[in-house]
Amino acid sequence: MRQTVVAGNWKMNKTPAQTTELINELKPLVAESKNKCIVCVPFTSLANAIEATKGSNIEVGAQNMYFEESGAYTGEIAPDMLCEMGVKYVIIGHSERRQYFAETDETVNKKVIKAFEHGLTPIICVGESLEQREQGITVELCSMQTKIALKSLSADQVKKCIIAYEPIWAIGTGKTATTDQAEEVCKAIRETVEEVFGKDAANEIIIQYGGSVNAGNSKELFEKENIDGGLVGGASLKAADFSVIVNS
Ligand code: PEP
Protein backbone atom coordinates (compact mmCIF):
# COMPACT_ATOMS: atom_id res chain seq x y z
CA MET A 1 0.00 0.00 0.00
CA ARG A 2 1.38 3.39 -1.00
CA GLN A 3 0.88 6.36 1.29
CA THR A 4 -1.28 9.22 0.03
CA VAL A 5 0.91 12.32 -0.31
CA VAL A 6 -0.61 15.77 -0.66
CA ALA A 7 1.66 18.70 -1.45
CA GLY A 8 0.63 22.33 -1.59
CA ASN A 9 2.33 24.47 -4.22
CA TRP A 10 1.98 28.01 -2.92
CA LYS A 11 3.62 29.45 -6.06
CA MET A 12 4.50 33.16 -5.68
CA ASN A 13 2.16 33.71 -2.75
CA LYS A 14 2.57 34.55 0.95
CA THR A 15 5.19 36.65 2.68
CA PRO A 16 7.18 35.06 5.53
CA ALA A 17 4.77 36.42 8.16
CA GLN A 18 1.76 35.20 6.16
CA THR A 19 3.45 31.80 5.84
CA THR A 20 3.70 31.42 9.63
CA GLU A 21 0.07 32.44 9.95
CA LEU A 22 -1.21 29.97 7.34
CA ILE A 23 0.84 27.06 8.72
CA ASN A 24 -0.34 27.77 12.26
CA GLU A 25 -3.90 27.66 10.99
CA LEU A 26 -3.28 24.44 9.07
CA LYS A 27 -1.44 22.48 11.79
CA PRO A 28 -4.38 21.50 14.00
CA LEU A 29 -6.55 20.75 10.97
CA VAL A 30 -4.19 18.07 9.60
CA ALA A 31 -2.74 16.82 12.90
CA GLU A 32 -4.67 13.53 12.78
CA SER A 33 -4.15 12.85 9.08
CA LYS A 34 -2.73 9.51 8.00
CA ASN A 35 -1.68 11.10 4.74
CA LYS A 36 1.58 12.95 4.21
CA CYS A 37 1.24 16.73 4.08
CA ILE A 38 3.88 18.91 2.42
CA VAL A 39 3.89 22.67 1.83
CA CYS A 40 6.09 24.00 -0.96
CA VAL A 41 6.56 27.66 -0.18
CA PRO A 42 8.54 30.49 -1.82
CA PHE A 43 12.30 30.54 -1.02
CA THR A 44 11.83 33.64 1.15
CA SER A 45 9.29 31.79 3.30
CA LEU A 46 11.27 28.58 3.85
CA ALA A 47 12.80 29.65 7.18
CA ASN A 48 9.40 30.60 8.58
CA ALA A 49 7.84 27.40 7.25
CA ILE A 50 10.55 25.22 8.81
CA GLU A 51 10.13 26.99 12.14
CA ALA A 52 6.33 26.93 12.09
CA THR A 53 6.11 23.22 11.17
CA LYS A 54 8.50 22.03 13.92
CA GLY A 55 6.90 19.28 15.96
CA SER A 56 4.02 18.90 13.49
CA ASN A 57 3.29 16.38 10.75
CA ILE A 58 3.71 18.97 7.99
CA GLU A 59 6.88 18.83 5.90
CA VAL A 60 8.42 21.59 3.84
CA GLY A 61 9.44 21.75 0.20
CA ALA A 62 10.88 24.31 -2.20
CA GLN A 63 9.44 25.06 -5.63
CA ASN A 64 12.67 24.88 -7.63
CA MET A 65 16.45 24.66 -7.30
CA TYR A 66 19.47 24.81 -9.61
CA PHE A 67 21.50 21.81 -10.77
CA GLU A 68 24.93 23.20 -9.89
CA GLU A 69 26.54 23.20 -6.46
CA SER A 70 27.52 26.89 -6.36
CA GLY A 71 28.95 29.62 -8.53
CA ALA A 72 28.07 32.47 -10.84
CA TYR A 73 24.35 31.77 -11.30
CA THR A 74 22.73 35.00 -10.18
CA GLY A 75 19.33 34.49 -8.65
CA GLU A 76 19.55 30.70 -8.41
CA ILE A 77 19.37 28.52 -5.29
CA ALA A 78 21.66 25.52 -4.74
CA PRO A 79 20.57 22.20 -3.21
CA ASP A 80 22.88 22.62 -0.19
CA MET A 81 21.18 25.90 0.65
CA LEU A 82 17.85 24.08 0.86
CA CYS A 83 19.21 21.10 2.80
CA GLU A 84 20.90 23.21 5.44
CA MET A 85 17.57 24.90 6.16
CA GLY A 86 15.83 21.56 6.70
CA VAL A 87 13.96 21.40 3.39
CA LYS A 88 13.08 17.82 2.39
CA TYR A 89 11.25 18.14 -0.94
CA VAL A 90 11.65 20.16 -4.10
CA ILE A 91 9.22 20.60 -6.98
CA ILE A 92 11.04 20.16 -10.28
CA GLY A 93 9.78 20.94 -13.76
CA HIS A 94 6.47 22.58 -12.89
CA SER A 95 4.74 23.58 -16.13
CA GLU A 96 4.96 27.25 -15.15
CA ARG A 97 8.75 26.92 -14.96
CA ARG A 98 8.78 25.08 -18.29
CA GLN A 99 6.56 27.76 -19.83
CA TYR A 100 8.04 30.99 -18.39
CA PHE A 101 11.58 30.06 -17.33
CA ALA A 102 12.82 27.81 -20.13
CA GLU A 103 12.89 24.60 -18.07
CA THR A 104 13.34 21.59 -20.35
CA ASP A 105 13.16 17.82 -19.89
CA GLU A 106 16.97 17.84 -19.81
CA THR A 107 17.29 20.48 -17.07
CA VAL A 108 14.58 18.63 -15.15
CA ASN A 109 16.71 15.48 -15.30
CA LYS A 110 19.85 17.35 -14.15
CA LYS A 111 17.92 18.81 -11.21
CA VAL A 112 16.41 15.44 -10.26
CA ILE A 113 19.87 13.84 -10.22
CA LYS A 114 21.23 16.72 -8.14
CA ALA A 115 18.32 16.53 -5.71
CA PHE A 116 19.15 12.88 -5.00
CA GLU A 117 22.83 13.66 -4.50
CA HIS A 118 21.70 15.87 -1.62
CA GLY A 119 18.97 13.65 -0.19
CA LEU A 120 16.14 15.87 -1.37
CA THR A 121 12.98 14.18 -2.65
CA PRO A 122 11.97 15.56 -6.05
CA ILE A 123 8.33 16.16 -6.92
CA ILE A 124 8.64 15.92 -10.69
CA CYS A 125 5.89 17.52 -12.77
CA VAL A 126 4.83 16.15 -16.14
CA GLY A 127 1.76 16.92 -18.22
CA GLU A 128 0.32 17.85 -21.56
CA SER A 129 -1.13 21.04 -23.03
CA LEU A 130 -4.69 21.14 -24.34
CA GLU A 131 -3.37 21.04 -27.89
CA GLN A 132 -1.34 17.92 -27.14
CA ARG A 133 -4.36 16.26 -25.53
CA GLU A 134 -6.45 17.06 -28.58
CA GLN A 135 -3.73 15.58 -30.79
CA GLY A 136 -4.04 12.34 -28.81
CA ILE A 137 -0.42 12.29 -27.65
CA THR A 138 -0.95 12.70 -23.89
CA VAL A 139 0.20 9.25 -22.80
CA GLU A 140 3.14 9.22 -25.19
CA LEU A 141 4.26 12.67 -24.07
CA CYS A 142 3.94 12.04 -20.32
CA SER A 143 5.72 8.74 -20.73
CA MET A 144 8.58 10.47 -22.56
CA GLN A 145 8.78 13.28 -19.98
CA THR A 146 8.93 10.64 -17.24
CA LYS A 147 11.68 8.65 -18.95
CA ILE A 148 13.85 11.73 -19.49
CA ALA A 149 13.26 13.08 -15.97
CA LEU A 150 14.35 9.76 -14.43
CA LYS A 151 17.27 9.06 -16.77
CA SER A 152 20.41 7.72 -15.00
CA LEU A 153 18.64 7.13 -11.67
CA SER A 154 18.76 3.75 -9.96
CA ALA A 155 15.58 1.79 -9.31
CA ASP A 156 16.03 2.51 -5.58
CA GLN A 157 16.11 6.24 -6.26
CA VAL A 158 13.07 6.00 -8.51
CA LYS A 159 11.15 4.29 -5.69
CA LYS A 160 11.63 7.45 -3.62
CA CYS A 161 10.48 9.90 -6.32
CA ILE A 162 7.17 11.66 -6.47
CA ILE A 163 5.76 12.31 -9.93
CA ALA A 164 2.92 14.78 -10.30
CA TYR A 165 0.81 14.36 -13.40
CA GLU A 166 -0.46 17.86 -14.09
CA PRO A 167 -2.35 18.49 -17.33
CA ILE A 168 -1.44 22.09 -18.15
CA TRP A 169 -5.01 22.88 -19.23
CA ALA A 170 -6.23 22.00 -15.73
CA ILE A 171 -3.78 24.13 -13.74
CA GLY A 172 -5.40 27.16 -12.17
CA THR A 173 -8.27 27.01 -14.63
CA GLY A 174 -10.92 25.34 -12.50
CA LYS A 175 -11.04 22.57 -15.15
CA THR A 176 -10.14 19.28 -13.46
CA ALA A 177 -9.34 16.21 -15.49
CA THR A 178 -12.04 13.60 -14.94
CA THR A 179 -11.02 10.90 -12.50
CA ASP A 180 -10.80 8.48 -15.43
CA GLN A 181 -8.58 10.81 -17.46
CA ALA A 182 -6.29 11.34 -14.46
CA GLU A 183 -6.18 7.63 -13.65
CA GLU A 184 -5.42 6.70 -17.26
CA VAL A 185 -2.32 8.90 -17.38
CA CYS A 186 -1.11 8.07 -13.86
CA LYS A 187 -1.40 4.37 -14.75
CA ALA A 188 0.54 4.94 -17.97
CA ILE A 189 3.28 6.75 -16.02
CA ARG A 190 3.48 3.81 -13.61
CA GLU A 191 3.72 1.40 -16.55
CA THR A 192 6.55 3.49 -17.99
CA VAL A 193 8.39 3.28 -14.68
CA GLU A 194 7.86 -0.49 -14.66
CA GLU A 195 9.18 -0.82 -18.19
CA VAL A 196 12.42 1.02 -17.38
CA PHE A 197 13.02 0.38 -13.67
CA GLY A 198 11.03 -2.76 -12.86
CA LYS A 199 7.97 -3.77 -10.89
CA ASP A 200 9.15 -2.79 -7.40
CA ALA A 201 9.98 0.76 -8.46
CA ALA A 202 6.60 1.02 -10.21
CA ASN A 203 4.77 -0.25 -7.14
CA GLU A 204 6.51 2.13 -4.77
CA ILE A 205 6.79 5.40 -6.68
CA ILE A 206 4.22 8.00 -5.61
CA ILE A 207 2.21 9.41 -8.51
CA GLN A 208 0.07 12.44 -7.76
CA TYR A 209 -2.55 14.22 -9.80
CA GLY A 210 -2.52 18.02 -9.95
CA GLY A 211 -4.80 20.50 -11.70
CA SER A 212 -7.64 22.31 -9.94
CA VAL A 213 -7.82 19.77 -7.12
CA ASN A 214 -10.21 21.08 -4.48
CA ALA A 215 -12.03 20.03 -1.35
CA GLY A 216 -14.91 18.70 -3.45
CA ASN A 217 -13.03 16.47 -5.91
CA SER A 218 -9.96 15.24 -4.01
CA LYS A 219 -11.52 12.17 -2.42
CA GLU A 220 -12.79 10.75 -5.71
CA LEU A 221 -9.42 11.38 -7.40
CA PHE A 222 -7.33 9.89 -4.59
CA GLU A 223 -9.49 6.76 -4.49
CA LYS A 224 -8.22 5.75 -7.91
CA GLU A 225 -5.75 2.90 -7.91
CA ASN A 226 -2.86 4.79 -9.49
CA ILE A 227 -3.39 8.23 -7.95
CA ASP A 228 -1.46 8.51 -4.69
CA GLY A 229 -2.45 12.03 -3.70
CA GLY A 230 -2.20 15.46 -5.25
CA LEU A 231 -0.15 18.53 -5.99
CA VAL A 232 -2.44 21.40 -5.12
CA GLY A 233 -2.05 25.04 -6.12
CA GLY A 234 -4.87 27.50 -5.43
CA ALA A 235 -6.67 25.40 -2.83
CA SER A 236 -3.50 25.00 -0.76
CA LEU A 237 -3.64 28.69 0.15
CA LYS A 238 -6.73 28.22 2.30
CA ALA A 239 -6.19 26.14 5.43
CA ALA A 240 -9.79 24.93 5.58
CA ASP A 241 -9.84 23.71 1.96
CA PHE A 242 -6.32 22.29 1.99
CA SER A 243 -6.95 20.35 5.19
CA VAL A 244 -10.00 18.68 3.63
CA ILE A 245 -7.81 17.62 0.70
CA VAL A 246 -5.01 16.38 2.98
CA ASN A 247 -7.52 14.40 5.03
CA SER A 248 -9.17 12.88 1.92
C1 PEP B 1 -0.18 23.55 -9.41
O1 PEP B 1 0.23 24.69 -9.36
O2 PEP B 1 0.63 22.61 -9.37
C2 PEP B 1 -1.62 23.33 -9.51
C3 PEP B 1 -2.05 22.14 -9.71
O3 PEP B 1 -2.41 24.45 -9.41
P1 PEP B 1 -4.01 24.46 -9.19
O4 PEP B 1 -4.32 23.45 -8.12
O5 PEP B 1 -4.34 25.85 -8.77
O6 PEP B 1 -4.64 24.07 -10.49
CSV table of all heavy atoms in Angstrom, one decimal, residues 16-64:
chain,number,residue,atom,x,y,z
A,16,PRO,N,6.8,35.9,4.4
A,16,PRO,CA,7.2,35.1,5.5
A,16,PRO,C,6.2,35.1,6.7
A,16,PRO,O,5.8,34.1,7.2
A,16,PRO,CB,8.5,35.6,5.9
A,16,PRO,CG,9.1,36.2,4.6
A,16,PRO,CD,7.9,36.7,3.9
A,17,ALA,N,5.7,36.3,7.0
A,17,ALA,CA,4.8,36.4,8.2
A,17,ALA,C,3.5,35.7,7.8
A,17,ALA,O,2.9,35.0,8.7
A,17,ALA,CB,4.5,37.9,8.5
A,18,GLN,N,3.0,35.9,6.6
A,18,GLN,CA,1.8,35.2,6.2
A,18,GLN,C,1.9,33.7,6.1
A,18,GLN,O,1.0,32.9,6.4
A,18,GLN,CB,1.3,35.7,4.8
A,18,GLN,CG,0.9,37.1,4.8
A,18,GLN,CD,0.8,37.7,3.3
A,18,GLN,OE1,1.4,37.2,2.4
A,18,GLN,NE2,0.0,38.8,3.2
A,19,THR,N,3.2,33.2,5.9
A,19,THR,CA,3.5,31.8,5.8
A,19,THR,C,3.3,31.2,7.2
A,19,THR,O,2.6,30.2,7.4
A,19,THR,CB,4.9,31.6,5.3
A,19,THR,OG1,5.0,32.0,4.0
A,19,THR,CG2,5.3,30.1,5.4
A,20,THR,N,3.8,31.9,8.2
A,20,THR,CA,3.7,31.4,9.6
A,20,THR,C,2.2,31.3,10.0
A,20,THR,O,1.8,30.4,10.6
A,20,THR,CB,4.5,32.4,10.6
A,20,THR,OG1,5.8,32.4,10.2
A,20,THR,CG2,4.4,31.9,12.0
A,21,GLU,N,1.5,32.4,9.6
A,21,GLU,CA,0.1,32.4,9.9
A,21,GLU,C,-0.7,31.3,9.3
A,21,GLU,O,-1.5,30.6,10.0
A,21,GLU,CB,-0.5,33.8,9.4
A,21,GLU,CG,-1.7,34.3,10.1
A,21,GLU,CD,-2.1,35.6,9.4
A,21,GLU,OE1,-1.2,36.5,9.2
A,21,GLU,OE2,-3.2,35.8,9.1
A,22,LEU,N,-0.5,31.0,8.0
A,22,LEU,CA,-1.2,30.0,7.3
A,22,LEU,C,-0.8,28.6,7.9
A,22,LEU,O,-1.7,27.7,8.1
A,22,LEU,CB,-1.0,30.1,5.8
A,22,LEU,CG,-1.6,29.0,4.9
A,22,LEU,CD1,-3.1,28.9,5.2
A,22,LEU,CD2,-1.4,29.3,3.5
A,23,ILE,N,0.4,28.4,8.2
A,23,ILE,CA,0.8,27.1,8.7
A,23,ILE,C,0.3,26.9,10.1
A,23,ILE,O,-0.2,25.8,10.5
A,23,ILE,CB,2.4,26.9,8.7
A,23,ILE,CG1,2.8,26.8,7.2
A,23,ILE,CG2,2.8,25.7,9.5
A,23,ILE,CD1,4.3,26.7,7.0
A,24,ASN,N,0.2,27.9,10.9
A,24,ASN,CA,-0.3,27.8,12.3
A,24,ASN,C,-1.8,27.5,12.2
A,24,ASN,O,-2.4,26.7,13.0
A,24,ASN,CB,-0.1,29.0,13.1
A,24,ASN,CG,1.3,29.1,13.6
A,24,ASN,OD1,2.0,28.1,13.6
A,24,ASN,ND2,1.8,30.3,13.9
A,25,GLU,N,-2.5,28.0,11.2
A,25,GLU,CA,-3.9,27.7,11.0
A,25,GLU,C,-4.1,26.2,10.5
A,25,GLU,O,-5.0,25.5,10.9
A,25,GLU,CB,-4.4,28.6,9.9
A,25,GLU,CG,-5.9,29.1,10.1
A,25,GLU,CD,-6.3,29.9,8.9
A,25,GLU,OE1,-5.5,30.8,8.4
A,25,GLU,OE2,-7.4,29.6,8.3
A,26,LEU,N,-3.2,25.8,9.7
A,26,LEU,CA,-3.3,24.4,9.1
A,26,LEU,C,-2.9,23.3,10.1
A,26,LEU,O,-3.6,22.2,10.0
A,26,LEU,CB,-2.3,24.4,7.9
A,26,LEU,CG,-2.3,23.1,7.0
A,26,LEU,CD1,-3.7,22.9,6.3
A,26,LEU,CD2,-1.2,23.2,5.9
A,27,LYS,N,-2.0,23.5,10.9
A,27,LYS,CA,-1.4,22.5,11.8
A,27,LYS,C,-2.5,21.7,12.5
A,27,LYS,O,-2.5,20.4,12.4
A,27,LYS,CB,-0.4,23.1,12.8
A,27,LYS,CG,1.0,23.2,12.2
A,27,LYS,CD,2.0,23.4,13.3
A,27,LYS,CE,1.9,24.8,13.9
A,27,LYS,NZ,3.2,25.1,14.6
A,28,PRO,N,-3.4,22.3,13.3
A,28,PRO,CA,-4.4,21.5,14.0
A,28,PRO,C,-5.4,20.8,13.1
A,28,PRO,O,-5.9,19.7,13.4
A,28,PRO,CB,-5.1,22.5,14.9
A,28,PRO,CG,-4.9,23.8,14.2
A,28,PRO,CD,-3.5,23.7,13.6
A,29,LEU,N,-5.6,21.3,11.9
A,29,LEU,CA,-6.6,20.7,11.0
A,29,LEU,C,-6.1,19.5,10.3
A,29,LEU,O,-6.9,18.7,9.8
A,29,LEU,CB,-6.9,21.8,9.9
A,29,LEU,CG,-7.5,23.1,10.4
A,29,LEU,CD1,-7.8,24.0,9.2
A,29,LEU,CD2,-8.8,22.9,11.2
A,30,VAL,N,-4.7,19.3,10.3
A,30,VAL,CA,-4.2,18.1,9.6
A,30,VAL,C,-3.5,17.2,10.6
A,30,VAL,O,-2.9,16.1,10.2
A,30,VAL,CB,-3.2,18.4,8.4
A,30,VAL,CG1,-4.0,19.2,7.3
A,30,VAL,CG2,-2.0,19.2,8.9
A,31,ALA,N,-3.5,17.5,11.9
A,31,ALA,CA,-2.7,16.8,12.9
A,31,ALA,C,-3.0,15.3,13.0
A,31,ALA,O,-2.2,14.5,13.3
A,31,ALA,CB,-2.9,17.5,14.3
A,32,GLU,N,-4.3,15.0,12.7
A,32,GLU,CA,-4.7,13.5,12.8
A,32,GLU,C,-4.6,12.8,11.4
A,32,GLU,O,-4.9,11.6,11.4
A,32,GLU,CB,-6.1,13.4,13.3
A,32,GLU,CG,-6.4,14.1,14.6
A,32,GLU,CD,-5.6,13.6,15.7
A,32,GLU,OE1,-5.4,12.4,15.8
A,32,GLU,OE2,-5.2,14.4,16.6
A,33,SER,N,-4.1,13.5,10.4
A,33,SER,CA,-4.2,12.9,9.1
A,33,SER,C,-3.2,11.7,9.0
A,33,SER,O,-2.0,11.8,9.4
A,33,SER,CB,-3.8,13.9,8.0
A,33,SER,OG,-3.9,13.3,6.7
A,34,LYS,N,-3.6,10.6,8.3
A,34,LYS,CA,-2.7,9.5,8.0
A,34,LYS,C,-1.9,9.8,6.7
A,34,LYS,O,-0.9,9.1,6.4
A,34,LYS,CB,-3.6,8.2,7.8
A,34,LYS,CG,-4.2,7.7,9.0
A,34,LYS,CD,-4.8,6.3,8.7
A,34,LYS,CE,-5.9,5.9,9.6
A,34,LYS,NZ,-7.2,6.6,9.2
A,35,ASN,N,-2.4,10.8,6.0
A,35,ASN,CA,-1.7,11.1,4.7
A,35,ASN,C,-0.5,12.1,5.0
A,35,ASN,O,-0.5,12.8,6.0
A,35,ASN,CB,-2.7,11.7,3.8
A,35,ASN,CG,-3.8,10.8,3.5
A,35,ASN,OD1,-3.7,9.6,3.6
A,35,ASN,ND2,-5.0,11.4,3.1
A,36,LYS,N,0.4,12.0,4.1
A,36,LYS,CA,1.6,13.0,4.2
A,36,LYS,C,1.2,14.3,3.7
A,36,LYS,O,0.5,14.4,2.6
A,36,LYS,CB,2.8,12.4,3.4
A,36,LYS,CG,4.1,13.1,3.8
A,36,LYS,CD,5.2,12.7,2.9
A,36,LYS,CE,5.9,11.4,3.3
A,36,LYS,NZ,6.6,11.5,4.6
A,37,CYS,N,1.6,15.3,4.4
A,37,CYS,CA,1.2,16.7,4.1
A,37,CYS,C,2.5,17.5,3.9
A,37,CYS,O,3.3,17.6,4.8
A,37,CYS,CB,0.4,17.3,5.2
A,37,CYS,SG,0.1,19.1,5.0
A,38,ILE,N,2.7,18.1,2.7
A,38,ILE,CA,3.9,18.9,2.4
A,38,ILE,C,3.4,20.3,2.0
A,38,ILE,O,2.5,20.4,1.2
A,38,ILE,CB,4.7,18.3,1.3
A,38,ILE,CG1,5.0,16.8,1.6
A,38,ILE,CG2,6.0,19.0,1.0
A,38,ILE,CD1,5.5,16.0,0.4
A,39,VAL,N,4.2,21.3,2.4
A,39,VAL,CA,3.9,22.7,1.8
A,39,VAL,C,5.1,23.2,1.1
A,39,VAL,O,6.2,23.2,1.7
A,39,VAL,CB,3.4,23.7,2.9
A,39,VAL,CG1,2.0,23.4,3.4
A,39,VAL,CG2,4.4,23.8,4.1
A,40,CYS,N,5.0,23.5,-0.2
A,40,CYS,CA,6.1,24.0,-1.0
A,40,CYS,C,5.9,25.5,-1.1
A,40,CYS,O,5.0,26.0,-1.8
A,40,CYS,CB,6.1,23.3,-2.3
A,40,CYS,SG,6.3,21.5,-2.2
A,41,VAL,N,6.7,26.2,-0.4
A,41,VAL,CA,6.6,27.7,-0.2
A,41,VAL,C,7.6,28.4,-1.0
A,41,VAL,O,8.6,27.8,-1.4
A,41,VAL,CB,6.6,28.0,1.3
A,41,VAL,CG1,5.6,27.2,2.1
A,41,VAL,CG2,8.0,27.8,1.9
A,42,PRO,N,7.5,29.7,-1.2
A,42,PRO,CA,8.5,30.5,-1.8
A,42,PRO,C,9.9,30.4,-1.0
A,42,PRO,O,9.8,30.2,0.2
A,42,PRO,CB,8.0,31.9,-1.8
A,42,PRO,CG,6.5,31.8,-1.6
A,42,PRO,CD,6.3,30.6,-0.8
A,43,PHE,N,11.0,30.6,-1.7
A,43,PHE,CA,12.3,30.5,-1.0
A,43,PHE,C,12.3,31.4,0.2
A,43,PHE,O,12.9,31.1,1.3
A,43,PHE,CB,13.4,31.0,-2.0
A,43,PHE,CG,13.7,30.0,-3.1
A,43,PHE,CD1,13.7,30.4,-4.4
A,43,PHE,CD2,13.9,28.6,-2.8
A,43,PHE,CE1,14.0,29.5,-5.4
A,43,PHE,CE2,14.1,27.7,-3.8
A,43,PHE,CZ,14.2,28.2,-5.2
A,44,THR,N,11.8,32.6,0.1
A,44,THR,CA,11.8,33.6,1.1
A,44,THR,C,11.0,33.2,2.4
A,44,THR,O,11.1,33.8,3.4
A,44,THR,CB,11.3,35.0,0.6
A,44,THR,OG1,10.1,34.8,-0.1
A,44,THR,CG2,12.4,35.7,-0.2
A,45,SER,N,10.1,32.2,2.2
A,45,SER,CA,9.3,31.8,3.3
A,45,SER,C,9.8,30.5,3.9
A,45,SER,O,9.2,30.0,4.9
A,45,SER,CB,7.8,31.6,2.8
A,45,SER,OG,7.2,32.9,2.6
A,46,LEU,N,10.8,29.9,3.4
A,46,LEU,CA,11.3,28.6,3.8
A,46,LEU,C,11.6,28.6,5.3
A,46,LEU,O,11.2,27.7,6.1
A,46,LEU,CB,12.5,28.1,3.0
A,46,LEU,CG,12.1,27.6,1.6
A,46,LEU,CD1,13.4,27.3,0.8
A,46,LEU,CD2,11.3,26.3,1.7
A,47,ALA,N,12.4,29.6,5.8
A,47,ALA,CA,12.8,29.6,7.2
A,47,ALA,C,11.6,29.7,8.1
A,47,ALA,O,11.5,28.9,9.1
A,47,ALA,CB,13.7,30.8,7.4
A,48,ASN,N,10.6,30.5,7.7
A,48,ASN,CA,9.4,30.6,8.6
A,48,ASN,C,8.6,29.3,8.5
A,48,ASN,O,8.1,28.8,9.6
A,48,ASN,CB,8.5,31.7,8.1
A,48,ASN,CG,9.0,33.1,8.5
A,48,ASN,OD1,10.2,33.4,8.2
A,48,ASN,ND2,8.2,33.9,9.2
A,49,ALA,N,8.6,28.7,7.4
A,49,ALA,CA,7.8,27.4,7.2
A,49,ALA,C,8.5,26.3,8.1
A,49,ALA,O,7.8,25.5,8.8
A,49,ALA,CB,7.8,27.0,5.8
A,50,ILE,N,9.8,26.2,8.0
A,50,ILE,CA,10.5,25.2,8.8
A,50,ILE,C,10.3,25.4,10.3
A,50,ILE,O,10.0,24.5,11.0
A,50,ILE,CB,12.1,25.3,8.5
A,50,ILE,CG1,12.4,25.1,7.1
A,50,ILE,CG2,12.9,24.4,9.5
A,50,ILE,CD1,12.4,23.7,6.6
A,51,GLU,N,10.3,26.7,10.7
A,51,GLU,CA,10.1,27.0,12.1
A,51,GLU,C,8.7,26.7,12.6
A,51,GLU,O,8.4,26.0,13.6
A,51,GLU,CB,10.4,28.5,12.3
A,51,GLU,CG,10.4,29.0,13.8
A,51,GLU,CD,11.3,28.2,14.7
A,51,GLU,OE1,12.4,27.8,14.3
A,51,GLU,OE2,11.0,28.0,15.9
A,52,ALA,N,7.7,27.1,11.7
A,52,ALA,CA,6.3,26.9,12.1
A,52,ALA,C,5.9,25.5,12.1
A,52,ALA,O,4.9,25.1,12.8
A,52,ALA,CB,5.5,27.7,11.1
A,53,THR,N,6.5,24.6,11.3
A,53,THR,CA,6.1,23.2,11.2
A,53,THR,C,6.8,22.3,12.2
A,53,THR,O,6.5,21.1,12.3
A,53,THR,CB,6.4,22.6,9.7
A,53,THR,OG1,7.8,22.9,9.4
A,53,THR,CG2,5.5,23.3,8.7
A,54,LYS,N,7.8,22.9,12.9
A,54,LYS,CA,8.5,22.0,13.9
A,54,LYS,C,7.5,21.3,14.9
A,54,LYS,O,6.6,21.9,15.4
A,54,LYS,CB,9.4,22.9,14.8
A,54,LYS,CG,10.8,23.0,14.1
A,54,LYS,CD,11.8,23.7,15.0
A,54,LYS,CE,13.1,24.0,14.2
A,54,LYS,NZ,13.8,25.2,14.6
A,55,GLY,N,7.7,20.0,15.0
A,55,GLY,CA,6.9,19.3,16.0
A,55,GLY,C,5.5,18.9,15.4
A,55,GLY,O,4.7,18.3,16.1
A,56,SER,N,5.3,19.2,14.1
A,56,SER,CA,4.0,18.9,13.5
A,56,SER,C,4.2,17.8,12.4
A,56,SER,O,5.4,17.4,12.2
A,56,SER,CB,3.4,20.1,12.8
A,56,SER,OG,4.1,20.4,11.6
A,57,ASN,N,3.2,17.4,11.8
A,57,ASN,CA,3.3,16.4,10.8
A,57,ASN,C,3.3,17.0,9.4
A,57,ASN,O,3.0,16.3,8.4
A,57,ASN,CB,2.2,15.3,10.9
A,57,ASN,CG,0.8,16.0,10.8
A,57,ASN,OD1,0.7,17.2,10.9
A,57,ASN,ND2,-0.2,15.2,10.5
A,58,ILE,N,3.6,18.3,9.3
A,58,ILE,CA,3.7,19.0,8.0
A,58,ILE,C,5.2,19.1,7.6
A,58,ILE,O,6.0,19.4,8.4
A,58,ILE,CB,3.1,20.4,8.1
A,58,ILE,CG1,1.6,20.3,8.5
A,58,ILE,CG2,3.2,21.1,6.7
A,58,ILE,CD1,1.0,21.7,8.8
A,59,GLU,N,5.5,18.7,6.4
A,59,GLU,CA,6.9,18.8,5.9
A,59,GLU,C,7.0,20.0,4.9
A,59,GLU,O,6.0,20.4,4.3
A,59,GLU,CB,7.3,17.5,5.3
A,59,GLU,CG,7.3,16.4,6.4
A,59,GLU,CD,8.0,15.1,5.9
A,59,GLU,OE1,9.2,15.0,5.9
A,59,GLU,OE2,7.2,14.2,5.5
A,60,VAL,N,8.2,20.4,4.7
A,60,VAL,CA,8.4,21.6,3.8
A,60,VAL,C,9.2,21.3,2.6
A,60,VAL,O,10.2,20.5,2.6
A,60,VAL,CB,9.2,22.7,4.7
A,60,VAL,CG1,9.5,23.9,3.8
A,60,VAL,CG2,8.3,23.0,5.9
A,61,GLY,N,8.7,21.9,1.5
A,61,GLY,CA,9.4,21.7,0.2
A,61,GLY,C,9.7,23.1,-0.4
A,61,GLY,O,9.0,24.1,-0.1
A,62,ALA,N,10.6,23.1,-1.4
A,62,ALA,CA,10.9,24.3,-2.2
A,62,ALA,C,10.2,24.1,-3.5
A,62,ALA,O,9.7,23.0,-3.9
A,62,ALA,CB,12.4,24.5,-2.4
A,63,GLN,N,10.1,25.2,-4.3
A,63,GLN,CA,9.4,25.1,-5.6
A,63,GLN,C,10.4,24.9,-6.8
A,63,GLN,O,9.9,24.8,-8.0
A,63,GLN,CB,8.6,26.3,-5.8
A,63,GLN,CG,7.5,26.5,-4.7
A,63,GLN,CD,6.8,27.8,-4.8
A,63,GLN,OE1,6.9,28.5,-5.8
A,63,GLN,NE2,6.0,28.1,-3.8
A,64,ASN,N,11.7,25.0,-6.6
A,64,ASN,CA,12.7,24.9,-7.6
A,64,ASN,C,14.0,24.8,-7.0
A,64,ASN,O,14.2,25.1,-5.8
A,64,ASN,CB,12.6,26.1,-8.5
A,64,ASN,CG,13.5,26.1,-9.7
A,64,ASN,OD1,13.8,25.0,-10.3
A,64,ASN,ND2,14.0,27.2,-10.1
